CSV table of all heavy atoms in Angstrom, one decimal:
chain,number,residue,atom,x,y,z
A,837,GLY,N,0.8,-1.2,0.1
A,837,GLY,CA,0.0,0.0,-0.1
A,837,GLY,C,0.8,1.2,0.0
A,837,GLY,O,0.5,2.2,-0.7
A,838,VAL,N,2.0,1.2,0.8
A,838,VAL,CA,2.9,2.5,0.8
A,838,VAL,C,3.6,2.6,-0.5
A,838,VAL,O,3.6,3.7,-1.1
A,838,VAL,CB,3.8,2.2,2.0
A,838,VAL,CG1,4.9,3.4,1.9
A,838,VAL,CG2,3.1,2.2,3.2
A,839,LEU,N,4.1,1.5,-1.1
A,839,LEU,CA,4.9,1.7,-2.3
A,839,LEU,C,3.9,2.0,-3.5
A,839,LEU,O,4.5,2.5,-4.4
A,839,LEU,CB,5.5,0.3,-2.5
A,839,LEU,CG,6.6,-0.1,-1.6
A,839,LEU,CD1,7.2,-1.5,-1.9
A,839,LEU,CD2,7.8,0.9,-1.6
A,840,ALA,N,2.7,1.7,-3.4
A,840,ALA,CA,1.7,2.1,-4.5
A,840,ALA,C,1.6,3.6,-4.6
A,840,ALA,O,1.3,4.1,-5.7
A,840,ALA,CB,0.4,1.5,-4.3
A,841,ALA,N,2.0,4.2,-3.5
A,841,ALA,CA,1.8,5.8,-3.7
A,841,ALA,C,3.3,6.5,-4.0
A,841,ALA,O,3.4,7.6,-4.1
A,841,ALA,CB,1.5,6.4,-2.2
A,842,VAL,N,4.3,5.7,-4.2
A,842,VAL,CA,5.5,6.1,-4.5
A,842,VAL,C,5.5,6.6,-6.1
A,842,VAL,O,5.1,5.9,-7.0
A,842,VAL,CB,6.7,5.1,-4.4
A,842,VAL,CG1,8.0,5.6,-5.0
A,842,VAL,CG2,6.8,4.7,-3.0
A,843,GLY,N,6.1,7.8,-6.3
A,843,GLY,CA,5.9,8.4,-7.6
A,843,GLY,C,6.7,9.7,-7.6
A,843,GLY,O,7.4,10.1,-6.6
A,844,PRO,N,6.7,10.4,-8.7
A,844,PRO,CA,7.5,11.7,-8.9
A,844,PRO,C,6.8,12.7,-7.9
A,844,PRO,O,5.7,12.8,-7.7
A,844,PRO,CB,7.2,12.1,-10.2
A,844,PRO,CG,6.8,10.7,-11.0
A,844,PRO,CD,6.2,10.0,-10.1
A,845,GLY,N,7.7,13.3,-7.2
A,845,GLY,CA,7.2,14.4,-6.2
A,845,GLY,C,6.9,13.8,-4.8
A,845,GLY,O,6.5,14.7,-4.0
A,846,VAL,N,6.9,12.6,-4.6
A,846,VAL,CA,6.5,12.0,-3.3
A,846,VAL,C,7.7,12.2,-2.3
A,846,VAL,O,8.7,11.6,-2.6
A,846,VAL,CB,5.9,10.6,-3.5
A,846,VAL,CG1,5.6,10.0,-2.0
A,846,VAL,CG2,4.8,10.5,-4.4
A,847,ASP,N,7.3,12.7,-1.2
A,847,ASP,CA,8.4,12.9,-0.1
A,847,ASP,C,8.0,12.1,1.0
A,847,ASP,O,7.2,11.2,1.1
A,847,ASP,CB,8.5,14.4,0.2
A,847,ASP,CG,7.1,14.9,0.8
A,847,ASP,OD1,6.1,14.2,0.8
A,847,ASP,OD2,7.0,16.2,0.9
A,848,ALA,N,9.0,12.3,2.0
A,848,ALA,CA,8.6,11.4,3.3
A,848,ALA,C,7.2,11.6,3.9
A,848,ALA,O,6.6,10.7,4.4
A,848,ALA,CB,9.7,11.8,4.3
A,849,GLN,N,6.7,12.8,3.8
A,849,GLN,CA,5.5,13.1,4.3
A,849,GLN,C,4.4,12.4,3.5
A,849,GLN,O,3.3,11.8,4.1
A,849,GLN,CB,5.1,14.6,4.4
A,849,GLN,CG,3.8,15.1,4.9
A,849,GLN,CD,3.7,14.7,6.4
A,849,GLN,OE1,4.7,14.8,7.1
A,849,GLN,NE2,2.5,14.4,6.9
A,850,GLY,N,4.6,12.2,2.2
A,850,GLY,CA,3.6,11.5,1.4
A,850,GLY,C,3.5,10.2,1.7
A,850,GLY,O,2.6,9.4,1.8
A,851,LEU,N,4.8,9.5,1.9
A,851,LEU,CA,4.9,8.1,2.3
A,851,LEU,C,4.4,7.9,3.8
A,851,LEU,O,3.6,6.9,3.9
A,851,LEU,CB,6.4,7.7,2.4
A,851,LEU,CG,7.2,7.6,1.0
A,851,LEU,CD1,8.7,7.2,1.2
A,851,LEU,CD2,6.4,6.6,0.1
A,852,LEU,N,4.4,8.8,4.6
A,852,LEU,CA,3.8,8.7,5.9
A,852,LEU,C,2.3,8.6,5.7
A,852,LEU,O,1.5,7.8,6.4
A,852,LEU,CB,4.3,9.8,6.8
A,852,LEU,CG,3.7,9.6,8.3
A,852,LEU,CD1,4.0,8.5,9.0
A,852,LEU,CD2,4.1,10.9,9.1
A,853,THR,N,1.7,9.5,5.0
A,853,THR,CA,0.4,9.6,4.7
A,853,THR,C,-0.2,8.4,4.1
A,853,THR,O,-1.2,7.9,4.4
A,853,THR,CB,0.0,10.9,3.9
A,853,THR,OG1,0.4,12.1,4.5
A,853,THR,CG2,-1.4,11.0,3.6
A,854,ALA,N,0.5,7.7,3.2
A,854,ALA,CA,0.2,6.6,2.4
A,854,ALA,C,0.1,5.4,3.5
A,854,ALA,O,-0.8,4.6,3.4
A,854,ALA,CB,1.2,6.3,1.3
A,855,GLY,N,1.1,5.4,4.4
A,855,GLY,CA,1.1,4.3,5.4
A,855,GLY,C,-0.1,4.4,6.2
A,855,GLY,O,-0.7,3.4,6.5
A,856,ILE,N,-0.4,5.6,6.7
A,856,ILE,CA,-1.7,5.8,7.6
A,856,ILE,C,-2.8,5.4,6.8
A,856,ILE,O,-3.8,4.8,7.4
A,856,ILE,CB,-1.6,7.3,8.0
A,856,ILE,CG1,-0.4,7.5,9.0
A,856,ILE,CG2,-2.8,7.6,8.8
A,856,ILE,CD1,-0.3,9.0,9.5
A,857,ASP,N,-2.9,5.8,5.6
A,857,ASP,CA,-4.1,5.6,4.7
A,857,ASP,C,-4.3,4.0,4.6
A,857,ASP,O,-5.5,3.5,4.6
A,857,ASP,CB,-4.1,6.3,3.4
A,857,ASP,CG,-5.3,5.9,2.6
A,857,ASP,OD1,-6.4,6.4,3.0
A,857,ASP,OD2,-5.2,5.3,1.6
A,858,THR,N,-3.2,3.3,4.4
A,858,THR,CA,-3.2,1.8,4.3
A,858,THR,C,-3.7,1.1,5.5
A,858,THR,O,-4.6,0.3,5.5
A,858,THR,CB,-1.9,1.3,3.9
A,858,THR,OG1,-1.4,1.9,2.6
A,858,THR,CG2,-2.0,-0.2,3.7
A,859,ILE,N,-3.2,1.6,6.7
A,859,ILE,CA,-3.7,1.0,7.9
A,859,ILE,C,-5.2,1.4,8.2
A,859,ILE,O,-5.8,0.6,8.6
A,859,ILE,CB,-2.9,1.5,9.1
A,859,ILE,CG1,-1.4,1.1,8.9
A,859,ILE,CG2,-3.3,1.1,10.3
A,859,ILE,CD1,-0.4,1.6,9.9
A,860,ALA,N,-5.6,2.6,7.7
A,860,ALA,CA,-7.0,3.0,8.0
A,860,ALA,C,-7.8,2.0,7.1
A,860,ALA,O,-9.0,1.7,7.4
A,860,ALA,CB,-7.2,4.5,7.6
A,861,ARG,N,-7.4,1.8,6.0
A,861,ARG,CA,-8.3,0.8,5.1
A,861,ARG,C,-8.3,-0.6,5.8
A,861,ARG,O,-9.4,-1.2,5.6
A,861,ARG,CB,-7.5,0.7,3.7
A,861,ARG,CG,-7.7,2.0,2.9
A,861,ARG,CD,-7.1,1.9,1.5
A,861,ARG,NE,-7.2,3.1,0.8
A,861,ARG,CZ,-8.3,3.5,-0.1
A,861,ARG,NH1,-9.3,2.6,0.0
A,861,ARG,NH2,-8.2,4.6,-0.6
A,862,PHE,N,-7.3,-1.1,6.4
A,862,PHE,CA,-7.4,-2.4,7.3
A,862,PHE,C,-8.6,-2.1,8.1
A,862,PHE,O,-9.4,-3.0,8.3
A,862,PHE,CB,-6.2,-2.6,7.8
A,862,PHE,CG,-5.1,-3.4,7.0
A,862,PHE,CD1,-4.1,-2.7,6.5
A,862,PHE,CD2,-5.3,-4.7,6.8
A,862,PHE,CE1,-3.2,-3.5,5.7
A,862,PHE,CE2,-4.5,-5.5,5.9
A,862,PHE,CZ,-3.5,-4.7,5.4
A,863,GLY,N,-8.6,-1.0,9.0
A,863,GLY,CA,-9.6,-0.9,10.0
A,863,GLY,C,-11.0,-0.7,9.4
A,863,GLY,O,-11.9,-1.3,10.0
A,864,GLN,N,-11.1,-0.1,8.2
A,864,GLN,CA,-12.3,0.1,7.5
A,864,GLN,C,-12.9,-1.2,7.1
A,864,GLN,O,-14.2,-1.5,7.2
A,864,GLN,CB,-12.3,1.1,6.4
A,864,GLN,CG,-13.5,1.3,5.7
A,864,GLN,CD,-13.5,2.4,4.7
A,864,GLN,OE1,-12.4,2.7,4.3
A,864,GLN,NE2,-14.6,2.4,3.8
A,865,ALA,N,-12.0,-2.0,6.6
A,865,ALA,CA,-12.4,-3.3,6.0
A,865,ALA,C,-12.9,-4.3,7.2
A,865,ALA,O,-14.0,-5.0,7.1
A,865,ALA,CB,-11.2,-4.0,5.3
A,866,PHE,N,-12.2,-4.2,8.2
A,866,PHE,CA,-12.6,-5.0,9.5
A,866,PHE,C,-13.9,-4.5,10.1
A,866,PHE,O,-14.8,-5.4,10.3
A,866,PHE,CB,-11.6,-4.9,10.6
A,866,PHE,CG,-11.8,-5.6,11.9
A,866,PHE,CD1,-11.5,-7.0,11.9
A,866,PHE,CD2,-12.4,-5.1,12.9
A,866,PHE,CE1,-11.8,-7.8,13.1
A,866,PHE,CE2,-12.8,-5.7,13.9
A,866,PHE,CZ,-12.4,-7.1,14.1
A,867,ASN,N,-14.1,-3.2,10.0
A,867,ASN,CA,-15.3,-2.6,10.5
A,867,ASN,C,-16.5,-2.9,9.6
A,867,ASN,O,-17.7,-3.2,10.2
A,867,ASN,CB,-15.2,-1.2,10.8
A,867,ASN,CG,-16.4,-0.5,11.4
A,867,ASN,OD1,-16.8,-0.8,12.5
A,867,ASN,ND2,-17.2,0.3,10.7
A,868,ASP,N,-16.3,-3.0,8.4
A,868,ASP,CA,-17.4,-3.3,7.5
A,868,ASP,C,-17.8,-4.6,7.5
A,868,ASP,O,-18.9,-5.0,7.1
A,868,ASP,CB,-17.0,-2.9,6.0
A,868,ASP,CG,-16.8,-1.5,5.7
A,868,ASP,OD1,-17.3,-0.7,6.6
A,868,ASP,OD2,-16.1,-1.1,4.9
A,869,ASN,N,-16.9,-5.5,7.9
A,869,ASN,CA,-17.2,-7.0,8.0
A,869,ASN,C,-17.2,-7.5,9.5
A,869,ASN,O,-16.8,-8.7,9.6
A,869,ASN,CB,-16.2,-7.8,7.0
A,869,ASN,CG,-16.2,-7.3,5.6
A,869,ASN,OD1,-17.0,-7.9,4.8
A,869,ASN,ND2,-15.3,-6.5,5.2
A,870,ARG,N,-17.4,-6.7,10.3
A,870,ARG,CA,-17.3,-7.1,11.7
A,870,ARG,C,-18.3,-8.2,12.1
A,870,ARG,O,-18.0,-9.0,13.0
A,870,ARG,CB,-17.6,-5.9,12.5
A,870,ARG,CG,-19.0,-5.1,12.4
A,870,ARG,CD,-19.0,-4.0,13.2
A,870,ARG,NE,-20.3,-3.2,13.1
A,870,ARG,CZ,-20.6,-2.4,12.3
A,870,ARG,NH1,-19.8,-2.2,11.2
A,870,ARG,NH2,-21.8,-1.9,12.2
A,871,TYR,N,-19.4,-8.3,11.5
A,871,TYR,CA,-20.3,-9.3,11.8
A,871,TYR,C,-19.7,-10.8,11.3
A,871,TYR,O,-19.9,-11.8,12.1
A,871,TYR,CB,-21.6,-9.2,11.1
A,871,TYR,CG,-22.4,-8.0,11.5
A,871,TYR,CD1,-22.5,-6.8,10.8
A,871,TYR,CD2,-22.8,-7.8,12.8
A,871,TYR,CE1,-23.0,-5.7,11.1
A,871,TYR,CE2,-23.5,-6.6,13.4
A,871,TYR,CZ,-23.5,-5.6,12.3
A,871,TYR,OH,-24.1,-4.4,12.8
A,872,PHE,N,-19.0,-10.8,10.2
A,872,PHE,CA,-18.3,-12.0,10.0
A,872,PHE,C,-17.3,-12.5,10.8
A,872,PHE,O,-17.1,-13.6,11.2
A,872,PHE,CB,-17.7,-11.8,8.4
A,872,PHE,CG,-16.9,-13.0,8.0
A,872,PHE,CD1,-17.4,-14.1,7.5
A,872,PHE,CD2,-15.4,-12.9,8.2
A,872,PHE,CE1,-16.5,-15.1,7.2
A,872,PHE,CE2,-14.6,-14.0,7.7
A,872,PHE,CZ,-15.2,-15.1,7.2
A,873,HIS,N,-16.5,-11.5,11.5
A,873,HIS,CA,-15.4,-11.9,12.4
A,873,HIS,C,-16.0,-12.3,13.7
A,873,HIS,O,-15.2,-12.8,14.6
A,873,HIS,CB,-14.5,-10.6,12.6
A,873,HIS,CG,-13.8,-10.2,11.3
A,873,HIS,ND1,-12.9,-11.0,10.6
A,873,HIS,CD2,-14.0,-9.1,10.5
A,873,HIS,CE1,-12.5,-10.4,9.6
A,873,HIS,NE2,-13.1,-9.2,9.4
A,874,ILE,N,-17.2,-12.1,14.0
A,874,ILE,CA,-17.8,-12.6,15.3
A,874,ILE,C,-17.5,-14.1,15.4
A,874,ILE,O,-17.3,-14.6,16.5
A,874,ILE,CB,-19.3,-12.3,15.4
A,874,ILE,CG1,-19.4,-10.7,15.5
A,874,ILE,CG2,-19.9,-12.9,16.5
A,874,ILE,CD1,-20.7,-10.1,15.8
A,875,THR,N,-17.6,-14.8,14.2
A,875,THR,CA,-17.4,-16.3,14.3
A,875,THR,C,-16.1,-16.7,15.0
A,875,THR,O,-16.1,-17.8,15.6
A,875,THR,CB,-17.6,-16.9,13.0
A,875,THR,OG1,-16.6,-16.2,12.1
A,875,THR,CG2,-19.0,-16.6,12.3
A,876,TRP,N,-15.1,-15.8,14.7
A,876,TRP,CA,-13.7,-16.2,15.3
A,876,TRP,C,-13.7,-16.1,16.9
A,876,TRP,O,-12.9,-16.7,17.4
A,876,TRP,CB,-12.7,-15.2,14.7
A,876,TRP,CG,-12.5,-15.6,13.3
A,876,TRP,CD1,-12.9,-14.7,12.2
A,876,TRP,CD2,-11.8,-16.5,12.7
A,876,TRP,NE1,-12.6,-15.2,11.1
A,876,TRP,CE2,-11.9,-16.3,11.2
A,876,TRP,CE3,-11.2,-17.7,13.1
A,876,TRP,CZ2,-11.3,-17.2,10.4
A,876,TRP,CZ3,-10.6,-18.6,12.3
A,876,TRP,CH2,-10.7,-18.2,10.9
A,877,LEU,N,-14.8,-15.5,17.5
A,877,LEU,CA,-14.8,-15.3,18.9
A,877,LEU,C,-15.1,-16.7,19.4
A,877,LEU,O,-14.9,-17.0,20.7
A,877,LEU,CB,-15.9,-14.3,19.4
A,877,LEU,CG,-15.5,-13.0,19.0
A,877,LEU,CD1,-16.7,-12.1,19.4
A,877,LEU,CD2,-14.3,-12.4,19.6
A,878,VAL,N,-15.6,-17.6,18.7
A,878,VAL,CA,-16.0,-19.0,19.2
A,878,VAL,C,-14.8,-19.8,19.6
A,878,VAL,O,-14.8,-20.4,20.6
A,878,VAL,CB,-16.7,-19.7,18.1
A,878,VAL,CG1,-16.9,-21.2,18.5
A,878,VAL,CG2,-18.0,-19.2,17.7
């Protein structure tokens, strides 16, 4: 996810933003499918 944002003009701040956005997408995916993950509580 971070390397996908690498391109011309991307600096360290851009990479940090890409990393945060990637982790946020993980959280969003987990939240959108939280009812599915309830089964793992078994």
